[in-house]
Amino acid sequence: MGNTQSHFDPKTSELIAIGASIGGNCLPCLRYHFAEALKLGCTIHEIEEAIRIAKMIKERPINDIYNLAEDLISREKERR
């Protein structure tokens, strides 16, 4: 993590990095941080939770754009 001092313990930092990797669509980052989290003693359940949270947050804007697209189509159909 560079030369900066972290306020998180190493396990927490890796779980955060897993979420950030998913948020940033970075496959090599996810592979790296997944392996590092395991090396540091994170459980598979902790990693799963980090991934679940990241997916939930990432899905929000996708669902919002899909809903807007459907809403625009519905409104236009009602106008006709």
Side-chain angles (χ1 to χ4, degrees), residues 1-70:
M1 287 188 26
N3 293 332
T4 60
Q5 181 181 353
S6 177
H7 297 283
F8 301 108
D9 64 89
K11 287 172 60 174
T12 302
S13 292
E14 287 305 325
L15 293 170
I16 292 168
I18 287 171
S21 299
I22 290 170
N25 297 320
C26 183
L27 276 60
C29 300
L30 180 56
R31 285 186 186 100
Y32 174 81
H33 292 293
F34 187 94
E36 287 300 304
L38 290 173
K39 283 182 198 174
L40 289 170
C42 290
T43 67
I44 196 67
H45 298 296
E46 290 170 324
I47 295 170
E48 284 176 322
E49 184 174 358
I51 291 170
R52 181 187 57 76
I53 292 168
K55 287 170 61 176
M56 183 176 56
I57 291 168
K58 192 169 177 79
E59 287 170 356
R60 176 61 193 258
I62 293 168
N63 290 331
D64 287 349
I65 198 74
Y66 291 162
N67 289 337
L68 176 59
E70 291 173 13

